Amino acid sequence: TTRRPWRLRALSQRALVTWLDERGLRWRADEPFAGAELDPPTTALLVQGYLLTLAVVALPLSVAANSRRHVLQGLVASERLFRQGFSESLVGMVLLRRCRDDAGHVLGGLDVVELNGVAARLLGEPEDHLLGTCWTARLGEGDQVLLAEVVEATARGRSAGWRGEVALPGDHGSRFLELALSPLPESVGPGMFVAQMIDVTARREAEERLTAQALQDALTGLANRTLLRDRIGLALSVLPADGPAATALLFCDLDDFKHVNDSAGHTVGDAVLVEVASRLRALLRPGDLAARPGGDEFVLLRAAVGPGEAEALAEEVIAALCRPVEVDGHAFVVGVSIGVVHGRAGSTAEELLRDADAAMYAAKAEGKRRAVVYFEAHREHARRSVRLEAELRRALAEDELRVHLQPVVDLRTGATVAAEALVRWQHPEHGLLPPATWLDVAEQSGLMPALGTWVLERACAVAAGWTGPEGGRPVTLHVNVSARQLEQQGFVDTVRQALDRSGLPPERLVLEFTETHLDEVSDGLLQDLVALRAAGIGLAADDYGTGYSPLTRIIELPLSMIKIDRCFVADMLEDVRARAVVTTLVRLGQSLGLEVVAEGVETAPQARQLIALGCGAAQGYLWSRPVPAEAFTPAVLRRPAGVPAARRALPAGVSPPASG
């Protein structure tokens, strides 16, 4: 450079001019150093310093510009993604702003700023109709208040948002939305929220159906046993520890409802139950509950009652259910037996249900179609039933039962023509127990089919060894049949098997079932009874005159005998109406070709009256009390020839009629 200074200078100046031209600058000769003679090293240093200064200044500016450009590009991309996600979301999205009045005061509602198509469909209006409107005003009244509190709490920093279900009322019922409401930063806008919505109406309805299935009776829509217990417990929990306030429970059981199912079918029976539920529901007041624990049982709960109020409600129930129920052109009358119990603070739901059930059975025992208020005696009866049931099962297993027999005499000849088999219980502690003290427990506990089968087989085995008086007809056996036995499938086969095992001829067996069971004979059982009758087995309507069966049932059923109830026989000498009933039944039997037996004859005047009326046979204490089977057989075999038992029992001068 020292050898050619002019060339470096010229080169440096040209390079500087070129560099300046590239940047739109101009070289001026009057600038500092323009005309100065600089040595090459100095010129190079100046140029390098100038360039370095430019680089130091330009580099941060370039970096800042690039960063800003990247930030702007990111914001644009983020906004594009948000817009795309907002509009194409599968859930309803709504941008909301707190409502303000004309004076600028903040209100509790939220206005729609923007929304997607899903939200518009959920709200049921076009998007352009919804923009600017108050979104919360479309919700249910309770939800409006709730969201106003949420918005206020969020604005004060006490809440970071809210999630839950809201109701959206409509012309065709409410729809339910699951809502997530979140506040947006103040930088987006003051009082801004974003709401995400999903329609959960179908899920809500499914949950309600499941709840209904868990807590409601499927047939009637009333509460089931689970909900009933819960509500009883709730009612008892709010009762004061002292005072007259009480909870009333009415346990209602329909009387003879089985007749409806057997005569018209279960479909009609279900329709009757639905109507009964409707009538009970009409008697409720706010706070009451009607439940159907099962079958033909209904329970009414009144959370708080005063003196006599529960009894008055029971009378209303009886009156409501005594009116005929019409189904498919048929009218059915279903009565009801009611057990009433008052619950106090400290009681439990199980105790009230148990006590009301015990009182209901007491109402059944007293004649049905009535209400009985629970007393401690009913609880003792229930305890007795539990104890007796266990002892009865043991008695059947350990052969503690005994067959006793009572003769049936021919009033015309005085001969014993039949014997009725009666069961007795030889209790190991209490001695011989008559059926009146325990037969009701056997009926309620479901032991009657087993008990009846045992009596039938044992009595047939005893009767097979009898031989009648020489030249007379063989003594027949009468065996009582309970309603439970008639309901039992295979009853006819049980009878045939008892005859086959014992060897007793079918014509020497008479099956007795009470008049109240006549209407319980289904079409299938009727055919079986016809077959039994065709085989020679007799069928008797016992306790006739005490029930409500129509006379047509006597014609429809293959009966061979009518047994007049003892209540008419006992009163016929003093009561004209009772005597008229006995007279009518005797003549009815004669007209239809049926044997007639009068029960409960205890005095000679009663026997004379029956003879005068033309009754053919009778039984009662006048001739003999029921005696053990082993004591009865010798009496039949060893009766003195030619001495009619009935004639010996009558006063002197009175003799049986010569003919029937």
PDB file of all heavy atoms in Angstrom, residues 574-595:
ATOM      1  N   GLU A 574    -135.410 -69.020  66.673  1.00  0.00           N
ATOM      2  CA  GLU A 574    -135.808 -67.702  67.170  1.00  0.00           C
ATOM      3  C   GLU A 574    -135.891 -66.664  66.071  1.00  0.00           C
ATOM      4  O   GLU A 574    -136.624 -65.671  66.197  1.00  0.00           O
ATOM      5  CB  GLU A 574    -134.805 -67.207  68.223  1.00  0.00           C
ATOM      6  CG  GLU A 574    -134.790 -67.996  69.509  1.00  0.00           C
ATOM      7  CD  GLU A 574    -133.976 -69.272  69.396  1.00  0.00           C
ATOM      8  OE1 GLU A 574    -133.158 -69.354  68.453  1.00  0.00           O
ATOM      9  OE2 GLU A 574    -134.159 -70.183  70.225  1.00  0.00           O
ATOM     10  N   ASP A 575    -135.173 -66.849  65.002  1.00  0.00           N
ATOM     11  CA  ASP A 575    -135.090 -65.847  63.939  1.00  0.00           C
ATOM     12  C   ASP A 575    -135.822 -66.364  62.704  1.00  0.00           C
ATOM     13  O   ASP A 575    -135.438 -67.387  62.116  1.00  0.00           O
ATOM     14  CB  ASP A 575    -133.622 -65.552  63.606  1.00  0.00           C
ATOM     15  CG  ASP A 575    -133.468 -64.350  62.691  1.00  0.00           C
ATOM     16  OD1 ASP A 575    -134.440 -63.965  62.018  1.00  0.00           O
ATOM     17  OD2 ASP A 575    -132.354 -63.790  62.650  1.00  0.00           O
ATOM     18  N   VAL A 576    -136.870 -65.651  62.318  1.00  0.00           N
ATOM     19  CA  VAL A 576    -137.652 -66.067  61.148  1.00  0.00           C
ATOM     20  C   VAL A 576    -136.798 -66.038  59.893  1.00  0.00           C
ATOM     21  O   VAL A 576    -136.918 -66.902  59.011  1.00  0.00           O
ATOM     22  CB  VAL A 576    -138.891 -65.152  60.995  1.00  0.00           C
ATOM     23  CG1 VAL A 576    -139.656 -65.507  59.725  1.00  0.00           C
ATOM     24  CG2 VAL A 576    -139.783 -65.251  62.211  1.00  0.00           C
ATOM     25  N   ARG A 577    -135.914 -65.045  59.805  1.00  0.00           N
ATOM     26  CA  ARG A 577    -135.087 -64.940  58.602  1.00  0.00           C
ATOM     27  C   ARG A 577    -134.118 -66.109  58.488  1.00  0.00           C
ATOM     28  O   ARG A 577    -133.894 -66.645  57.390  1.00  0.00           O
ATOM     29  CB  ARG A 577    -134.324 -63.613  58.619  1.00  0.00           C
ATOM     30  CG  ARG A 577    -135.227 -62.386  58.499  1.00  0.00           C
ATOM     31  CD  ARG A 577    -134.463 -61.108  58.737  1.00  0.00           C
ATOM     32  NE  ARG A 577    -133.903 -61.065  60.097  1.00  0.00           N
ATOM     33  CZ  ARG A 577    -133.180 -60.069  60.568  1.00  0.00           C
ATOM     34  NH1 ARG A 577    -132.923 -59.019  59.807  1.00  0.00           N
ATOM     35  NH2 ARG A 577    -132.723 -60.105  61.817  1.00  0.00           N
ATOM     36  N   ALA A 578    -133.525 -66.519  59.611  1.00  0.00           N
ATOM     37  CA  ALA A 578    -132.618 -67.663  59.579  1.00  0.00           C
ATOM     38  C   ALA A 578    -133.361 -68.928  59.180  1.00  0.00           C
ATOM     39  O   ALA A 578    -132.859 -69.751  58.398  1.00  0.00           O
ATOM     40  CB  ALA A 578    -131.951 -67.839  60.943  1.00  0.00           C
ATOM     41  N   ARG A 579    -134.589 -69.104  59.712  1.00  0.00           N
ATOM     42  CA  ARG A 579    -135.385 -70.275  59.348  1.00  0.00           C
ATOM     43  C   ARG A 579    -135.743 -70.235  57.866  1.00  0.00           C
ATOM     44  O   ARG A 579    -135.756 -71.284  57.194  1.00  0.00           O
ATOM     45  CB  ARG A 579    -136.649 -70.343  60.213  1.00  0.00           C
ATOM     46  CG  ARG A 579    -137.462 -71.623  59.956  1.00  0.00           C
ATOM     47  CD  ARG A 579    -138.489 -71.894  61.052  1.00  0.00           C
ATOM     48  NE  ARG A 579    -139.473 -70.820  61.176  1.00  0.00           N
ATOM     49  CZ  ARG A 579    -139.514 -69.952  62.176  1.00  0.00           C
ATOM     50  NH1 ARG A 579    -138.611 -70.026  63.159  1.00  0.00           N
ATOM     51  NH2 ARG A 579    -140.442 -69.011  62.240  1.00  0.00           N
ATOM     52  N   ALA A 580    -136.001 -69.041  57.338  1.00  0.00           N
ATOM     53  CA  ALA A 580    -136.324 -68.920  55.914  1.00  0.00           C
ATOM     54  C   ALA A 580    -135.131 -69.326  55.053  1.00  0.00           C
ATOM     55  O   ALA A 580    -135.293 -69.965  53.996  1.00  0.00           O
ATOM     56  CB  ALA A 580    -136.754 -67.492  55.600  1.00  0.00           C
ATOM     57  N   VAL A 581    -133.917 -68.955  55.493  1.00  0.00           N
ATOM     58  CA  VAL A 581    -132.716 -69.339  54.737  1.00  0.00           C
ATOM     59  C   VAL A 581    -132.559 -70.855  54.738  1.00  0.00           C
ATOM     60  O   VAL A 581    -132.293 -71.474  53.691  1.00  0.00           O
ATOM     61  CB  VAL A 581    -131.465 -68.661  55.337  1.00  0.00           C
ATOM     62  CG1 VAL A 581    -130.189 -69.229  54.705  1.00  0.00           C
ATOM     63  CG2 VAL A 581    -131.528 -67.156  55.146  1.00  0.00           C
ATOM     64  N   VAL A 582    -132.737 -71.490  55.914  1.00  0.00           N
ATOM     65  CA  VAL A 582    -132.610 -72.949  55.994  1.00  0.00           C
ATOM     66  C   VAL A 582    -133.654 -73.617  55.106  1.00  0.00           C
ATOM     67  O   VAL A 582    -133.353 -74.555  54.356  1.00  0.00           O
ATOM     68  CB  VAL A 582    -132.747 -73.422  57.447  1.00  0.00           C
ATOM     69  CG1 VAL A 582    -132.748 -74.955  57.519  1.00  0.00           C
ATOM     70  CG2 VAL A 582    -131.625 -72.852  58.301  1.00  0.00           C
ATOM     71  N   THR A 583    -134.883 -73.120  55.175  1.00  0.00           N
ATOM     72  CA  THR A 583    -135.963 -73.693  54.353  1.00  0.00           C
ATOM     73  C   THR A 583    -135.628 -73.576  52.872  1.00  0.00           C
ATOM     74  O   THR A 583    -135.795 -74.533  52.089  1.00  0.00           O
ATOM     75  CB  THR A 583    -137.287 -72.980  54.649  1.00  0.00           C
ATOM     76  OG1 THR A 583    -137.587 -73.094  56.042  1.00  0.00           O
ATOM     77  CG2 THR A 583    -138.419 -73.585  53.837  1.00  0.00           C
ATOM     78  N   THR A 584    -135.144 -72.393  52.465  1.00  0.00           N
ATOM     79  CA  THR A 584    -134.819 -72.165  51.050  1.00  0.00           C
ATOM     80  C   THR A 584    -133.707 -73.093  50.593  1.00  0.00           C
ATOM     81  O   THR A 584    -133.777 -73.673  49.496  1.00  0.00           O
ATOM     82  CB  THR A 584    -134.402 -70.698  50.844  1.00  0.00           C
ATOM     83  OG1 THR A 584    -135.467 -69.846  51.244  1.00  0.00           O
ATOM     84  CG2 THR A 584    -134.047 -70.439  49.396  1.00  0.00           C
ATOM     85  N   LEU A 585    -132.672 -73.260  51.420  1.00  0.00           N
ATOM     86  CA  LEU A 585    -131.548 -74.100  51.021  1.00  0.00           C
ATOM     87  C   LEU A 585    -131.957 -75.572  50.950  1.00  0.00           C
ATOM     88  O   LEU A 585    -131.493 -76.307  50.060  1.00  0.00           O
ATOM     89  CB  LEU A 585    -130.391 -73.914  52.003  1.00  0.00           C
ATOM     90  CG  LEU A 585    -129.734 -72.523  52.001  1.00  0.00           C
ATOM     91  CD1 LEU A 585    -128.620 -72.459  53.030  1.00  0.00           C
ATOM     92  CD2 LEU A 585    -129.192 -72.185  50.617  1.00  0.00           C
ATOM     93  N   VAL A 586    -132.804 -76.007  51.852  1.00  0.00           N
ATOM     94  CA  VAL A 586    -133.281 -77.394  51.802  1.00  0.00           C
ATOM     95  C   VAL A 586    -134.062 -77.629  50.512  1.00  0.00           C
ATOM     96  O   VAL A 586    -133.850 -78.623  49.802  1.00  0.00           O
ATOM     97  CB  VAL A 586    -134.138 -77.729  53.033  1.00  0.00           C
ATOM     98  CG1 VAL A 586    -134.834 -79.083  52.856  1.00  0.00           C
ATOM     99  CG2 VAL A 586    -133.278 -77.744  54.294  1.00  0.00           C
ATOM    100  N   ARG A 587    -134.969 -76.723  50.198  1.00  0.00           N
ATOM    101  CA  ARG A 587    -135.773 -76.882  48.977  1.00  0.00           C
ATOM    102  C   ARG A 587    -134.917 -76.745  47.723  1.00  0.00           C
ATOM    103  O   ARG A 587    -135.162 -77.419  46.718  1.00  0.00           O
ATOM    104  CB  ARG A 587    -136.896 -75.859  48.982  1.00  0.00           C
ATOM    105  CG  ARG A 587    -137.944 -76.126  50.068  1.00  0.00           C
ATOM    106  CD  ARG A 587    -139.011 -75.057  50.098  1.00  0.00           C
ATOM    107  NE  ARG A 587    -140.010 -75.351  51.144  1.00  0.00           N
ATOM    108  CZ  ARG A 587    -140.995 -74.534  51.484  1.00  0.00           C
ATOM    109  NH1 ARG A 587    -141.127 -73.354  50.858  1.00  0.00           N
ATOM    110  NH2 ARG A 587    -141.849 -74.873  52.434  1.00  0.00           N
ATOM    111  N   LEU A 588    -133.910 -75.852  47.789  1.00  0.00           N
ATOM    112  CA  LEU A 588    -133.009 -75.709  46.645  1.00  0.00           C
ATOM    113  C   LEU A 588    -132.258 -77.008  46.391  1.00  0.00           C
ATOM    114  O   LEU A 588    -132.140 -77.464  45.240  1.00  0.00           O
ATOM    115  CB  LEU A 588    -132.017 -74.566  46.902  1.00  0.00           C
ATOM    116  CG  LEU A 588    -130.965 -74.322  45.818  1.00  0.00           C
ATOM    117  CD1 LEU A 588    -131.623 -73.856  44.522  1.00  0.00           C
ATOM    118  CD2 LEU A 588    -129.936 -73.297  46.290  1.00  0.00           C
ATOM    119  N   GLY A 589    -131.765 -77.636  47.456  1.00  0.00           N
ATOM    120  CA  GLY A 589    -131.065 -78.904  47.297  1.00  0.00           C
ATOM    121  C   GLY A 589    -131.963 -79.982  46.734  1.00  0.00           C
ATOM    122  O   GLY A 589    -131.551 -80.768  45.867  1.00  0.00           O
ATOM    123  N   GLN A 590    -133.204 -80.035  47.234  1.00  0.00           N
ATOM    124  CA  GLN A 590    -134.134 -81.038  46.723  1.00  0.00           C
ATOM    125  C   GLN A 590    -134.429 -80.808  45.245  1.00  0.00           C
ATOM    126  O   GLN A 590    -134.501 -81.758  44.462  1.00  0.00           O
ATOM    127  CB  GLN A 590    -135.423 -80.997  47.536  1.00  0.00           C
ATOM    128  CG  GLN A 590    -135.262 -81.452  48.988  1.00  0.00           C
ATOM    129  CD  GLN A 590    -136.508 -81.206  49.810  1.00  0.00           C
ATOM    130  OE1 GLN A 590    -137.406 -80.473  49.383  1.00  0.00           O
ATOM    131  NE2 GLN A 590    -136.581 -81.814  50.999  1.00  0.00           N
ATOM    132  N   SER A 591    -134.577 -79.547  44.851  1.00  0.00           N
ATOM    133  CA  SER A 591    -134.903 -79.237  43.454  1.00  0.00           C
ATOM    134  C   SER A 591    -133.749 -79.587  42.523  1.00  0.00           C
ATOM    135  O   SER A 591    -133.969 -80.009  41.373  1.00  0.00           O
ATOM    136  CB  SER A 591    -135.251 -77.752  43.314  1.00  0.00           C
ATOM    137  OG  SER A 591    -136.360 -77.413  44.123  1.00  0.00           O
ATOM    138  N   LEU A 592    -132.535 -79.411  42.994  1.00  0.00           N
ATOM    139  CA  LEU A 592    -131.369 -79.663  42.145  1.00  0.00           C
ATOM    140  C   LEU A 592    -130.817 -81.075  42.307  1.00  0.00           C
ATOM    141  O   LEU A 592    -129.807 -81.424  41.682  1.00  0.00           O
ATOM    142  CB  LEU A 592    -130.263 -78.648  42.472  1.00  0.00           C
ATOM    143  CG  LEU A 592    -130.593 -77.173  42.199  1.00  0.00           C
ATOM    144  CD1 LEU A 592    -129.426 -76.288  42.627  1.00  0.00           C
ATOM    145  CD2 LEU A 592    -130.904 -76.961  40.725  1.00  0.00           C
ATOM    146  N   GLY A 593    -131.455 -81.880  43.162  1.00  0.00           N
ATOM    147  CA  GLY A 593    -130.978 -83.238  43.356  1.00  0.00           C
ATOM    148  C   GLY A 593    -129.698 -83.308  44.165  1.00  0.00           C
ATOM    149  O   GLY A 593    -128.899 -84.244  43.994  1.00  0.00           O
ATOM    150  N   LEU A 594    -129.495 -82.366  45.076  1.00  0.00           N
ATOM    151  CA  LEU A 594    -128.292 -82.330  45.894  1.00  0.00           C
ATOM    152  C   LEU A 594    -128.612 -82.782  47.316  1.00  0.00           C
ATOM    153  O   LEU A 594    -129.697 -82.511  47.836  1.00  0.00           O
ATOM    154  CB  LEU A 594    -127.716 -80.904  45.940  1.00  0.00           C
ATOM    155  CG  LEU A 594    -127.406 -80.238  44.599  1.00  0.00           C
ATOM    156  CD1 LEU A 594    -126.921 -78.801  44.832  1.00  0.00           C
ATOM    157  CD2 LEU A 594    -126.367 -81.035  43.825  1.00  0.00           C
ATOM    158  N   GLU A 595    -127.681 -83.468  47.940  1.00  0.00           N
ATOM    159  CA  GLU A 595    -127.829 -83.804  49.350  1.00  0.00           C
ATOM    160  C   GLU A 595    -127.685 -82.535  50.177  1.00  0.00           C
ATOM    161  O   GLU A 595    -126.916 -81.632  49.831  1.00  0.00           O
ATOM    162  CB  GLU A 595    -126.771 -84.818  49.772  1.00  0.00           C
ATOM    163  CG  GLU A 595    -126.886 -86.177  49.096  1.00  0.00           C
ATOM    164  CD  GLU A 595    -125.849 -87.144  49.635  1.00  0.00           C
ATOM    165  OE1 GLU A 595    -125.841 -87.363  50.870  1.00  0.00           O
ATOM    166  OE2 GLU A 595    -125.055 -87.657  48.833  1.00  0.00           O
TER     167      GLU A 595
END
